[in-house]
Amino acid sequence: MGYNRFGAGANGGSAGDGELPAEEETVHALLGPAERLLREGASAVALVAELIAVVIIALAVVMAVWRTARHFLGRVHAPMDRVRLDLARSLALALEFLLAADVVRTAVAPNWDDIAKLAAVAVIRTGLNYFLHRDIVEVETEARGTAFTEPQEPAQEGR
């Protein structure tokens, strides 16, 4: 007897006792453990990416607090923009790891709810990353402008 994709016989009867047809049972037996392994592997990769993000943020905050305290205690007179820039770079990097974790989790077996959540998280994190990067570039440009200004050549007439 042939089976259609719903497990019913060609004549409309069921495959019997709710069991899968032999071909589908074999495929399920082969793919079941592989799918489970893939899910567990993806979950482990996502967990590692999230752990890396947490470590980056924790270290960045500790360093920023340390450098800020040294600045305000008068031991170092470095510009505070450097502390802000380093913290912003670390946060941007951590956001990339968190986004990667979300992508890996969603890639395994997404449903529409997971995809919508990923899209919302990606938009928010990408926006945060964009504004952090813009601030970094702005501060670096200002720092370069005050540290060194190229002499302006006088305008040449007659050209």
Side-chain angles (χ1 to χ4, degrees):
M1 173 189 308
Y3 293 95
N4 64 24
R5 64 186 176 138
F6 301 110
N11 63 358
S14 69
D17 299 340
E19 294 179 15
L20 294 172
E23 304 93 31
E24 288 185 32
E25 196 172 297
T26 303
V27 169
H28 184 69
L30 292 173
L31 293 181
E35 184 178 352
R36 209 169 323 132
L37 183 63
L38 180 62
R39 286 178 194 261
E40 290 173 8
S43 181
V45 168
L47 186 61
V48 167
E50 288 173 338
L51 179 64
I52 291 170
V54 169
V55 168
I56 289 170
I57 292 170
L59 290 174
V61 167
V62 168
M63 291 301 297
V65 168
W66 172 255
R67 290 171 66 193
T68 302
R70 289 185 62 193
H71 175 80
F72 285 118
L73 292 174
R75 295 180 186 231
V76 177
H77 294 290
M80 290 304 294
D81 283 345
R82 176 62 43 212
V83 175
R84 256 186 71 226
L85 278 177
D86 291 343
L87 182 60
R89 281 190 189 102
S90 297
L91 291 175
L93 180 60
L95 284 170
E96 294 294 334
F97 275 102
L98 290 171
L99 183 58
D102 289 338
V103 168
V104 168
R105 272 207 180 90
T106 304
V108 175
N111 59 37
W112 285 110
D113 189 46
D114 291 338
I115 293 171
K117 286 178 187 175
L118 176 63
V121 168
V123 167
I124 291 167
R125 288 187 180 158
T126 302
L128 286 171
N129 223 353
Y130 169 78
F131 288 110
L132 281 172
H133 180 71
R134 193 180 74 180
D135 287 347
I136 289 168
V137 169
E138 183 179 307
V139 170
E140 285 180 341
T141 302
E142 287 175 9
R144 270 188 257 125
T146 58
F148 176 76
T149 55
E150 290 187 30
Q152 298 290 326
E153 291 185 27
Q156 295 180 0
E157 293 182 27
R159 284 193 181 192

